[in-house]
Amino acid sequence: MKSILPLVFLFQFSSIVLTSLAYTLPDKYFINCGSDNNMNSTGRVFTGDLNSGSFSFTKQSSPVRDSNQAGQSATIYQTARVFRQPSLYEFEISNTSTYLVRLHFFAFSSPTPTNLSTAVFDVSTSEFSLLRNFTIQNSSKSPIVKEFLLSINLGKFNIYFVPKVSTFAFVNAIEVFPAPESFIPDTTPHITSTGSNGNYMDILSKVLHTIHRINVGGLTVTEDNDTLWRTWVPDDSYLYNSDTAENRASYTGKLNYQGRVSEYIAPGFVYRTAKQMNISGGSPTNNFNITWSFSVRKNARHFVRVHFCDIVSPSLNVLIFNLFIVGKFKQEINPYDEVGQLAAPFYFDFVVDSDDSGIMNISVGPNTKSYLENTAFLNGLEIMEIMEKSGSAPVISRTKKGHVLVLVVSILGCLSLIGVLAVFIFLGLKCRKPKPAEPLDSWSALPVYGGGSSHSRVTEKSTNGSMTPNYLNLGLKIPLGEIQFATKNFNTKLVIGKGGFGNVYRGILMNGMKVAVKRSETGSGQGLSEFQSEIMVLSKIRHRHLVSLIGYCDERSEMILVYEFMEKGTLREHLYNSNFPCLSWKQRLEICIGAARGIHYLHKGSDGGIIHRDIKSTNILLDENHVAKVADFGLSRSGPSDQTHVSTAVKGTFGYLDPEYFRSQQLTEKSDVYSFGVVLLEVLCARPAIDPLLPREQVNLAEWGMLCKNKGILEEIIDPSIKDMINPNSLRKFAETAEKCLEEDSADRPTMGDVLWDLEYALQLQQIATRREPHEDSTTDASNVLTSSNVSGFPSLSESVNEDVMPISDSLNMSETEVFSQLRITHAR
């Protein structure tokens, strides 16, 4: 064993160096709590919380240090921060993504009354309770690390520590850093007490709490040897019957990472070891399945990831076996079908419901189709509890009691000063003669339009009693002066788009953030309802695949919206009539999946449900990594899920409009599904939804696509640049999905959850080397795609929801050169 360790470490190191360049190991946030020293631990620099200005914490707290000078614990466990009242750590998040959050606890020797082992407290974020009545009083003398995976949005992220009555809270170290791209899926198969039950949606809107992380057949993998600083423990203590299994000798050859699997999914040490069936010795138990039993929370849902790497088979395509979960679900595992070669890691994800036993059993066993008799194996396993939202954040007082009098005096002094200044300003305005503002060629230190004025369109309308400022969100309000600074006083050289609403500018805020600034034409009076709708929708929802609203400004007659900047522009610009490099088929699938996730979240994951109402390729934007985000919510409508809105004015973009909505004027989320079906055809064919220069029967892409399907000539309209790179099975599933979205009757269309599942399956089919059946010919062409579907669909639990809507203006005639065409409101009103 010792002789092969150098080789294993060599392969491990080379794998880390050569893994996906799409992810770079982060440098923040790693916090050494209660310390003024920075320390290095396995490639991470833990910053002393007394040193850094990149994060903050409640000052009503105290640092404590290990009183045992001879203590052998790691440096981060020799100090802690103690909170005796509700307190927080606050982090500035610069990128919406899935993050790993780790909390480190260790009860070192500390002076009375701060005996850390007696602490009892809660830990939470703004929406989720992470730990309740947490204590380490009865735990071992080893550090305890609690790990959570959750989506965190751009802006402030707080971790709250709330001590129970007559006690306190503490923490030794904190980690908050982004996970690799697509580390956790949003949808997986769902296994209930009765077996397979469709698919489970919106995983990314929950928190995953790591319960078990197992290196099957191997030794403990510490944070020193894991790509994301995780710890994997041996599986022996979890075996139901140890006689049924034996360790596979550690594999020392090259691991063939491919597709979505990299060292960041699991380190090479996990894939180089395995448990396999014990088929030697002649014992009657040797032919039984290998079963592992895990303690889990009763009657809860868990995210389960099972890791495989065929280091067992002597050659390709000789081993097939079964995976069993909770005794109610069976899946056939064929390594050749998944990865097409030996020593190639792959994995499966599931959401599994536990019962009232508190035990989850997972097994592998033989399959009669296998040429390798009575053999099965497993390399690794992860189980994470799924935690739902649990209310609002605790109230944190940032002021010490001894400073109350000073605070009151300060407030009174400020009010007096404001009063004096108001008198001077009033007298100055009476005496000053009006002077027209002069345009500036470059940014001036003073705002031209009186930035910072409290006079706003909201105030103006409210005073007249004509509207209620129900969209007002002061936390998002940005002074006009800062927006002028960001756009160099709306310099025309920074214009990146123009529409009926006005110009869109590229800008950089004072904090260095790149933004897109949508400004209405001053004094036009146009687009007020769209302005309100954008703020109302985007101020209450956040999702990785929805463009984030950074803020707004409504000073004087201005209506300005500020969004996160999307480096790669619109999806449409990457499909046709542009200078962008051609998107591969895999990239197109990933973009469609991202957009589908965003739309699905609007329909099901947001309060009351939201219908976008204007889904199209120019309203799907791409960031610098080609991650798709849905934009332009000016036409969006929300309401009770049990209502269908009847509108006297059909809104949307011609070519994407749901024909049923056009006829009946009844708007549901299935109208978005139809529009998305048109986008799918745009992605496949690389042409506009409407092209008036084409012959009459080809003008409308949705109609032309379905006509080509019926004639069996679909191959004639597929984008030639990707035609040869598409796996036929992937194309079948994709085209089948588009066809279902474009059904005339909305009742026959799938939900966005179903669409998302089908697209993810199409991507899986594209990524794996699919073993052809005897009747399948390698020359299968696209003309058969819509007429014969060899890929079966999956059931879904998604339910349709009808929405209540208010009439809003159309969005038509989009410019092909706009980088931010999603921010425009067109001339047709």
Side-chain angles (χ1 to χ4, degrees):
M1 181 67 182
K2 289 184 179 179
S3 63
I4 67 172
L5 279 179
L7 284 174
V8 174
F9 276 102
L10 177 62
F11 282 114
Q12 179 80 355
F13 177 76
S14 61
S15 298
I16 294 174
V17 173
L18 298 176
T19 44
S20 174
L21 297 178
Y23 180 71
T24 302
L25 288 175
D27 58 5
K28 63 178 185 182
Y29 290 98
F30 304 102
I31 314 301
N32 187 12
C33 302
S35 175
D36 56 1
N37 294 323
N38 299 344
M39 57 83 61
N40 190 296
S41 175
T42 62
R44 297 162 291 178
V45 176
F46 281 81
T47 303
D49 63 5
L50 294 174
N51 287 351
S52 178
S54 61
F55 59 90
S56 61
F57 58 89
T58 307
K59 302 304 180 184
Q60 295 94 314
S61 60
S62 58
V64 294
R65 182 173 293 276
D66 190 347
S67 59
N68 181 8
Q69 299 298 321
Q72 299 300 310
S73 58
T75 306
I76 61 170
Y77 298 118
Q78 294 175 5
T79 62
R81 182 157 298 281
V82 171
F83 305 99
R84 298 193 178 275
Q85 60 186 13
S87 305
L88 62 81
Y89 275 87
E90 183 174 85
F91 304 92
E92 186 67 40
I93 301 299
S94 58
N95 183 37
T96 299
S97 183
T98 299
Y99 282 73
L100 285 110
V101 174
R102 294 196 187 109
L103 306 174
H104 297 254
F105 304 99
F106 179 63
F108 54 69
S109 300
S110 55
T112 306
T114 314
N115 181 354
L116 298 182
S117 65
T118 64
V120 183
F121 54 96
D122 296 341
V123 182
S124 65
T125 67
S126 297
E127 296 180 308
F128 295 92
S129 175
L130 304 182
L131 300 171
R132 292 181 180 176
N133 295 318
F134 178 72
T135 182
I136 58 176
Q137 188 168 8
N138 298 319
S139 64
S140 67
K141 281 295 182 179
S142 300
I144 294 176
V145 181
K146 294 293 185 179
E147 180 186 88
F148 306 89
L149 288 96
L150 65 157
S151 294
I152 304 180
N153 296 313
L154 191 72
K156 303 291 186 184
F157 172 68
N158 296 334
I159 301 178
Y160 300 91
F161 296 84
V162 181
K164 294 300 183 181
V165 178
S166 301
T167 183
F168 58 91
F170 80 96
V171 62
N172 299 84
I174 300 175
E175 299 175 65
V176 179
F177 64 92
E181 179 76 18
S182 303
F183 188 67
I184 298 295
D186 200 34
T187 304
T188 70
H190 187 190
I191 302 170
T192 67
S193 58
T194 59
S196 179
N197 197 3
N199 41 342
Y200 185 86
M201 306 288 188
D202 292 329
I203 297 174
L204 296 177
S205 67
K206 314 293 195 302
V207 166
L208 303 182
H209 178 199
T210 303
I211 306 297
H212 300 287
R213 182 170 282 133
I214 311 298
N215 181 22
V216 178
L219 303 175
T220 298
V221 178
T222 66
E223 60 184 22
D224 305 272
N225 298 315
D226 181 87
T227 45
L228 293 177
W229 307 292
R230 295 161 294 194
T231 297
W232 304 71
V233 301
D235 68 302
D236 298 294
S237 62
Y238 300 95
L239 282 170
Y240 182 77
N241 184 346
S242 60
D243 291 336
T244 61
E246 63 180 358
N247 289 341
R248 178 71 180 185
S250 181
Y251 176 74
T252 59
K254 178 185 176 182
L255 292 178
N256 300 305
Y257 286 103
Q258 55 184 280
R260 60 181 181 147
V261 187
S262 73
E263 279 272 354
Y264 297 115
I265 293 298
F269 289 106
V270 171
Y271 291 124
R272 293 182 184 280
T273 60
K275 274 281 196 307
Q276 66 180 18
M277 294 187 65
N278 179 15
I279 58 176
S280 61
S283 171
T285 63
N286 290 347
N287 292 328
F288 282 31
N289 295 341
I290 310 174
T291 299
W292 294 264
S293 296
F294 300 94
S295 297
V296 295
R297 191 162 69 88
K298 296 180 180 180
N299 301 312
R301 286 191 173 126
H302 297 80
F303 178 86
V304 176
R305 174 167 287 176
V306 284
H307 298 268
F308 298 99
C309 183
D310 190 355
I311 58 175
V312 174
S313 301
S315 60
L316 292 174
N317 201 25
V318 298
L319 175 60
I320 301 174
F321 59 95
N322 293 326
L323 168 70
F324 304 91
I325 299 180
V326 296
K328 302 293 184 181
F329 172 83
K330 179 177 78 171
Q331 177 165 320
E332 184 177 274
I333 306 297
N334 187 333
Y336 180 76
D337 267 0
E338 296 303 323
V339 287
Q341 56 183 316
L342 298 177
F346 62 98
Y347 65 91
F348 293 99
D349 293 331
F350 306 93
V351 168
V352 182
D353 292 355
S354 61
D355 56 24
D356 58 4
S357 70
I359 299 295
M360 181 182 295
N361 290 329
I362 295 176
S363 308
V364 293
N367 186 296
T368 56
K369 298 179 183 179
S370 180
Y371 296 103
L372 204 59
E373 187 178 1
N374 293 341
T375 302
F377 68 88
L378 182 67
N379 300 77
L381 183 70
E382 295 174 89
I383 300 177
M384 307 176 191
E385 182 185 335
I386 297 178
M387 305 171 70
E388 303 284 345
K389 291 183 179 180
S390 57
S392 58
V395 177
I396 304 298
S397 171
R398 296 175 183 257
T399 306
K400 294 183 179 180
K401 294 181 179 180
H403 292 170
V404 172
L405 181 59
V406 176
L407 178 64
V408 172
V409 172
S410 299
I411 293 174
L412 292 176
C414 290
L415 291 175
S416 300
L417 180 59
I418 291 170
V420 173
L421 289 174
V423 172
F424 278 108
I425 292 172
F426 175 74
L427 293 175
L429 291 175
K430 287 190 66 177
C431 298
R432 188 176 66 182
K433 294 181 180 180
K435 181 180 180 180
E438 298 177 0
L440 300 179
D441 294 330
S442 61
W443 170 246
S444 167
L446 296 176
V448 175
Y449 298 102
S453 168
S454 61
H455 181 72
S456 69
R457 180 169 291 263
V458 179
T459 308
E460 180 182 5
K461 293 289 183 180
S462 300
T463 303
N464 297 332
S466 59
M467 66 167 280
T468 302
N470 57 352
Y471 71 90
L472 188 62
N473 187 328
L474 294 177
L476 293 175
K477 195 165 185 178
I478 300 177
L480 179 59
E482 182 168 356
I483 294 176
Q484 287 176 297
F485 173 89
T487 60
K488 297 184 179 179
N489 198 34
F490 303 108
N491 191 316
T492 56
K493 294 181 180 179
L494 297 177
V495 173
I496 54 176
K498 181 175 175 61
F501 189 86
N503 288 335
V504 182
Y505 301 80
R506 177 188 285 111
I508 301 178
L509 297 178
M510 293 178 181
N511 62 6
M513 180 185 294
K514 292 182 180 181
V515 292
V517 178
K518 181 171 81 171
R519 182 195 188 197
S520 71
E521 294 184 0
T522 306
S524 66
Q526 297 291 318
L528 177 60
S529 54
E530 291 92 333
F531 181 71
Q532 292 175 310
S533 179
E534 290 267 359
I535 297 173
M536 285 189 291
V537 171
L538 289 178
S539 64
K540 66 180 180 180
I541 60 174
R542 291 279 177 172
H543 191 274
R544 184 169 181 274
H545 293 288
L546 301 178
V547 170
S548 296
L549 179 69
I550 305 301
Y552 74 94
C553 175
D554 65 343
E555 290 177 20
R556 297 185 179 268
S557 57
E558 294 281 358
M559 289 188 296
I560 299 173
L561 295 167
V562 182
Y563 302 83
E564 65 175 314
F565 184 77
M566 301 297 287
E567 194 75 36
K568 298 294 186 182
T570 70
L571 170 59
R572 176 178 177 174
E573 290 178 298
H574 290 261
L575 296 176
Y576 47 87
N577 298 336
S578 81
N579 296 321
F580 282 107
C582 175
L583 293 172
S584 68
W585 178 239
K586 180 175 179 289
Q587 284 179 307
R588 299 187 194 200
L589 283 172
E590 289 172 339
I591 289 168
C592 291
I593 289 169
R597 285 175 179 162
I599 300 168
H600 177 58
Y601 175 78
L602 288 176
H603 290 176
K604 301 296 185 183
S606 52
D607 293 339
I610 295 172
I611 304 175
H612 186 280
R613 212 181 181 194
D614 200 17
I615 298 296
K616 54 190 175 185
S617 58
T618 49
N619 283 343
I620 297 173
L621 306 186
L622 307 179
D623 71 6
E624 59 185 355
N625 297 317
H626 291 94
V627 174
K629 302 195 179 191
V630 180
D632 195 350
F633 298 85
L635 299 183
S636 299
R637 285 294 162 259
S638 60
S641 58
D642 58 350
Q643 294 184 12
T644 300
H645 177 67
V646 180
S647 172
T648 57
V650 174
K651 308 301 176 185
T653 301
F654 189 63
Y656 299 85
L657 277 175
D658 172 9
E660 184 175 85
Y661 170 41
F662 190 83
R663 291 191 304 268
S664 66
Q665 299 181 3
Q666 292 187 348
L667 181 68
T668 72
E669 62 187 29
K670 293 298 185 70
S671 298
D672 283 350
V673 174
Y674 181 92
S675 301
F676 191 70
V678 179
V679 171
L680 294 181
L681 284 185
E682 276 191 271
V683 168
L684 181 64
C685 304
R687 56 147 287 186
I690 298 293
D691 191 344
L693 300 180
L694 293 174
R696 183 172 181 178
E697 72 273 17
Q698 300 180 24
V699 170
N700 187 296
L701 175 60
E703 296 175 0
W704 178 237
M706 294 302 97
L707 182 61
C708 289
K709 165 255 178 181
N710 293 331
K711 289 184 176 180
I713 56 171
L714 186 63
E715 74 276 8
E716 295 183 6
I717 64 173
I718 293 179
D719 182 2
S721 63
I722 61 168
K723 197 170 183 178
D724 294 333
M725 68 175 65
I726 307 178
N727 178 287
N729 286 332
S730 175
L731 182 57
R732 288 188 188 96
K733 175 53 66 176
F734 184 90
E736 170 194 299
T737 305
E739 181 185 21
K740 290 188 292 186
C741 291
L742 295 172
E743 289 286 348
E744 286 285 321
D745 190 341
S746 63
D748 295 331
R749 297 174 204 149
T751 65
M752 280 308 302
D754 295 327
V755 173
L756 173 58
W757 175 252
D758 286 342
L759 291 175
E760 288 179 331
Y761 188 39
L763 177 60
Q764 283 187 330
L765 292 172
Q766 179 65 24
Q767 290 178 324
I768 63 176
T770 306
R771 183 176 61 181
R772 296 188 177 279
E773 298 298 331
H775 66 274
E776 288 186 306
D777 193 306
S778 60
T779 59
T780 302
D781 62 30
S783 62
N784 297 321
V785 170
L786 289 179
T787 56
S788 63
S789 174
N790 295 330
V791 183
S792 60
F794 287 83
S796 172
L797 295 179
S798 303
E799 298 176 355
S800 300
V801 177
N802 298 327
E803 306 295 349
D804 182 32
V805 210
M806 295 187 298
I808 289 288
S809 304
D810 284 354
S811 180
L812 309 173
N813 305 321
M814 309 307 291
S815 167
E816 293 177 357
T817 62
E818 286 184 286
V819 176
F820 283 87
S821 57
Q822 84 288 355
L823 303 181
R824 67 191 296 258
I825 305 298
T826 69
H827 304 284
R829 300 194 171 281

